[in-house]
Amino acid sequence: MSDAAKNRVLVLGAQFNRVEKSGTLPVQEKKSFWKRNTNKLPGSIKAVQSKGSQDHPTSPSSSGSPSPPGNTISSNPEKMRGKIQSFEDYTSKTHDAWCEDDDDVEKVGERVGSVIIQEPTVKVIRGGDIRTGILSRMKKKHNHANDVRPRQAPSSSNKEHTVQPKPLPLPPHAEIQLELQEQEMLKLERFGKILAGPTTDLVILRQYSWSGIPAQVRPTTWQLLSGYLPVNIDRRQSVLDRKRQEYYNLLKQYYDTRHEDIHQDTFRQIHIDIPRTNPLIPLFQQPAVQETFERILYIWAIRHPASGYVQGINDLVTPFFVVFLSAFTDGELETYDVSKLSKDALNTIEADSFWCLGKLLDGIQDNYTFAQPGIQHKIHALKDLIQRVDAPLHHHLIKHNVEYLQFSFRWMNNLLMRELPLRCTIRLWDTYLSEAEGFSKFHLYVCAAFLMKYSERIREESDFQSLLILLQNLPTGNWGYKDVELLVAEAFKLKSLFGEAPKHLQSR
Amino acid sequence: MDQNQNCHKNNEFLFKVLIIGDVAVGKSSIMKRFAENVFDRKYGSTIGVDFKTKKLKLGGKAVKLQIWDTAGHERFRSITSAFYRGAHGIVLVYDVTRMETFTNIPKWLQELDLQDYNCTVKILFGNKSDLSSERDVPRETAFKYADSNNMFLFETSAKTGNSVNEAFEHLVSRMLVAFHEAESTATKPILSGDLSTCILSEQEKIIAGSGCSC
């Protein structure tokens, strides 16, 4: 049995050690069981998400390394009892795939059936042996390198594999590449293990994801972190099927209303904005993609009359669309020709993007309701925070009559998407989705860190005009993952200092 | 501090100009055409406000314009109206190919009145004049409306650049006249310029704070 499979068994054993195995029930019976349960939780998707997020309020600081398997259950026995009961009930009627040969792991993947879930997971699992080979070859190479010069101890697979600066002397370029590849693979392997189920522990998944999600598993991981995909692998496909169908029904029912009097303004606004969404990225200039966006935004808007469609929300669809598209292609995404995609695949991406966008917006609705109170509040908070942590910068802005509203409104309304390249936004969202309130609260600290990053540069400008022009066009064109990682690390420091102690901000 | 200060010294002036109007009438394109003499169809919607500057000489006077290009989207109105403060000139833009953007002009004027910018210099731009086959707002109607509201109207094309510079130059000359009128009468301020938004440099601040009589 591979390490991956052992680990899964360990998780299962620790969490559900009283479960007895028995044969698989026909699919029909399993469905009826879950149906019974979902009756207790109206709007089951939402319930799964909110429960998940309540059960696992976490941040990477709460523990430096991932918690040992199983302890998440005991950490909240009261809430988990129901889950264990139902899971016991469920597993007692279900075949436990993890106690079989590794080959069966593939079957689980196949049973799940979704390309999105299946592909990355199975790829990871299948790749196990090959990768072990590669890794051992790599390690041999590294050991050889050890003869030549001292280097850090090889990182253990249980630790966070963030890229650490190396002690002197600096390793040659190739060596760094190798090291990075190795770390990426180990990271991917860890994700593969936890995503493969049978239930994905969201606490651990968030800890892993906070510092970046490998592209191969990002679609599934984002769906899990969004609360769209159930943590239980056996429920995933049925939930996806149901939600996708639900979205198609919404389209059938409502999309034709877009030309009616009460909705035509909404649709016209969306229709005007779509060609202006990421205008420089060819992917979004394709009619099929633009129509997809129009449908997603229109249906969302008429279902949320309190805010309706607000400019900026169109931008928020793009990361989901690109990430979910990535499950279907290995090619360059920003120039991908969607006509290569089957209609079913595009429909799937559309439906999944719709629901995940909805989950995101649920958390930041007050950004888009009348007078945008959420944004106003955050702009004030940003000002208070900068005043506290970078007084010279704050005073420089005030001295030159620059108001925070003048540059940070867009940061809040579009979640920095207009300030950063799309690839960086996607990396940033790995962290946002891992944070308990990433888009609503953590974003404030990211904005503060973002402003402070340019503190020195900003203070070089000594008149209002140059300041505002700089602040509205901060030079982020060459940003990569590394910059985002530094940004979220700084933001995390700020959040730790001030997040739980707002009075710290008022003391001045 | 005097409400009507204008930042000037030795015939150097600084004016704040606001561009407002419905969504997608070409406000940002007008600003880009005027400030940088470029046109780019690939331009995202404006969120909140965009900002550019432009220097020009008119009648021996050096004028620096701060141009504030505001978002046309209605939900942003409560936020963008904060940027109206201290404007010396206002460019109201509609799209000649979409009648509703023209019929909404009174609403924009009302918005300004609410903000007490009644006395700021206003000018009307009928943009996208290059799309003659798609014209929806007849010239006569628009000019008649502008006349009856004491506004100058220019039909502009940010795409070709047609009339953009002329229109801005006209606005500047009107602002200069308004400024001098305010200076000579020195009663009720015509320009409601606000120091906090129109002073650019520390040097200019000193000038305005000490020497500006307006």
Side-chain angles (χ1 to χ4, degrees), chain A residues 429-445:
Chain A
W429 283 24
D430 288 348
T431 302
Y432 281 3
L433 285 161
S434 314
E435 278 279 329
E437 294 173 299
F439 296 97
S440 57
K441 297 208 170 140
F442 189 67
H443 178 67
L444 165 68
Y445 300 101

Side-chain angles (χ1 to χ4, degrees), chain A residues 150-377:
Chain A
R151 57 184 300 282
Q152 273 189 317
S155 40
S156 120
S157 62
N158 289 330
K159 281 186 184 171
E160 286 288 331
H161 292 281
T162 49
V163 182
Q164 297 288 345
K166 295 270 166 283
L168 290 172
L170 279 174
H173 182 67
E175 183 80 1
I176 298 175
Q177 282 297 330
L178 208 60
E179 182 104 349
L180 286 173
Q181 277 173 17
E182 182 183 352
Q183 284 175 352
E184 280 307 307
M185 279 188 192
L186 286 169
K187 198 172 185 177
L188 188 60
E189 200 167 1
R190 283 190 316 167
F191 271 92
K193 277 181 200 167
I194 190 166
L195 292 176
T199 51
T200 298
D201 186 328
L202 282 181
V203 175
I204 296 177
L205 188 65
R206 283 183 181 143
Q207 284 172 348
Y208 287 176
S209 304
W210 202 93
S211 45
I213 302 167
Q216 299 91 321
V217 291
R218 193 176 264 134
T220 311
T221 307
W222 274 27
Q223 290 180 2
L224 278 161
L225 294 173
S226 293
Y228 175 52
L229 205 59
V231 291
N232 185 313
I233 197 161
D234 287 325
R235 288 190 58 217
R236 285 180 193 169
Q237 192 53 45
S238 61
V239 166
L240 282 179
D241 290 344
R242 186 163 52 79
K243 293 306 283 184
R244 287 168 183 165
Q245 193 53 51
E246 202 180 319
Y247 173 71
Y248 305 144
N249 291 343
L250 285 172
L251 279 181
K252 261 187 224 150
Q253 199 176 347
Y254 294 113
Y255 196 56
D256 287 338
T257 66
R258 66 191 185 279
H259 299 304
E260 290 175 7
D261 283 353
I262 49 163
H263 294 310
Q264 64 177 3
D265 284 349
T266 299
F267 184 73
R268 191 186 299 140
Q269 178 69 67
I270 292 168
H271 186 69
I272 288 172
D273 281 351
I274 293 308
R276 306 197 286 176
T277 305
N278 285 315
L280 299 175
I281 299 178
L283 173 67
F284 301 110
Q285 298 312 307
Q286 298 167 42
V289 176
Q290 295 192 344
E291 284 159 21
T292 299
F293 273 53
E294 282 181 3
R295 288 190 292 267
I296 292 173
L297 290 167
Y298 178 73
I299 298 294
W300 185 87
I302 60 165
R303 281 165 55 90
H304 295 82
S307 66
Y309 169 74
V310 177
Q311 284 182 341
I313 294 178
N314 53 333
D315 281 357
L316 305 185
V317 187
T318 55
F320 289 119
F321 186 86
V322 169
V323 166
F324 297 156
L325 172 67
S326 75
F328 294 92
T329 172
D330 292 329
E332 177 60 45
L333 291 166
E334 295 193 358
T335 52
Y336 184 77
D337 174 6
V338 288
S339 65
K340 289 185 208 155
L341 219 53
S342 73
K343 196 167 182 328
D344 277 355
L346 193 56
N347 287 345
T348 303
I349 296 170
E350 177 175 338
D352 294 347
S353 301
F354 171 80
W355 291 113
C356 288
L357 172 76
K359 296 282 185 191
L360 188 167
L361 288 169
D362 284 349
I364 52 170
Q365 215 188 345
D366 63 349
N367 278 5
Y368 302 111
T369 49
F370 179 73
Q372 304 189 268
I375 291 183
Q376 301 212 34
H377 171 78

Side-chain angles (χ1 to χ4, degrees), chain A residues 29 54 116 122 126 248 295 321 367 378 382 437 454 501-502:
Chain A
E29 273 191 60
Q54 279 163 15
I116 290 183
V122 174
R126 274 181 182 156
Y248 305 144
R295 288 190 292 267
F321 186 86
N367 278 5
K378 266 176 284 215
L382 177 67
E437 294 173 299
Y454 293 100

Side-chain angles (χ1 to χ4, degrees), chain B residues 15-21 66-68 70 83-93 105 108-109 111-113 115-125 151-152 167-168 170-172 174-175 191-192:
Chain B
F15 291 119
K16 172 172 173 175
V17 175
L18 199 66
I19 306 180
I20 58 176
Q66 268 186 6
I67 308 168
W68 297 69
T70 63
F83 301 121
Y84 294 1
R85 195 160 49 101
H88 302 97
I90 289 172
V91 177
L92 288 133
V93 188
I105 291 290
W108 285 102
L109 285 169
E111 183 96 4
L112 292 169
D113 286 350
Q115 300 283 334
D116 196 25
Y117 292 100
N118 221 354
C119 47
T120 313
V121 177
K122 291 185 273 287
I123 186 168
L124 197 55
F125 280 35
M151 281 190 291
F152 265 84
F168 270 101
H170 178 81
L171 174 70
V172 170
R174 293 269 312 275
M175 288 192 294
L191 299 172
S192 52

Side-chain angles (χ1 to χ4, degrees), chain A residues 268-269 272-273 276-277 279-280 285 305-312 314-315 367-372 375-376 379 398-403 405-407 409-410 413-414 418 462-466 468-469 472-473, chain B residues 14 16 23-25 28 40-55 64-66 68 71-80 82-83 85 98 100 195-202 204-205:
Chain A
R268 191 186 299 140
Q269 178 69 67
I272 288 172
D273 281 351
R276 306 197 286 176
T277 305
L280 299 175
Q285 298 312 307
S307 66
Y309 169 74
V310 177
Q311 284 182 341
N314 53 333
D315 281 357
N367 278 5
Y368 302 111
T369 49
F370 179 73
Q372 304 189 268
I375 291 183
Q376 301 212 34
I379 292 173
I398 297 299
K399 182 176 149 192
H400 295 289
N401 304 303
V402 176
E403 292 171 26
L405 179 70
Q406 291 160 350
F407 62 88
F409 176 74
R410 190 171 66 194
N413 191 74
N414 290 42
R418 289 285 182 93
S462 58
D463 67 78
F464 173 84
Q465 276 161 308
S466 322
L468 209 52
I469 286 170
Q472 290 199 339
N473 303 282
Chain B
L14 172 65
K16 172 172 173 175
V23 168
V25 294
S28 302
D40 188 357
R41 193 184 290 277
K42 294 178 174 178
Y43 201 72
S45 55
T46 306
I47 306 294
V49 68
D50 268 344
F51 179 87
K52 288 205 188 307
T53 60
K54 169 87 176 176
K55 286 179 187 173
K64 200 186 223 177
L65 296 182
Q66 268 186 6
W68 297 69
H73 191 48
E74 188 154 353
R75 182 51 48 83
F76 298 151
R77 208 68 56 77
S78 56
I79 303 277
T80 47
F83 301 121
R85 195 160 49 101
R98 283 192 295 146
E100 76 273 12
L195 184 68
S196 69
T197 49
C198 87
I199 300 302
L200 303 183
S201 69
E202 197 50 28
E204 281 165 321
K205 191 181 211 170

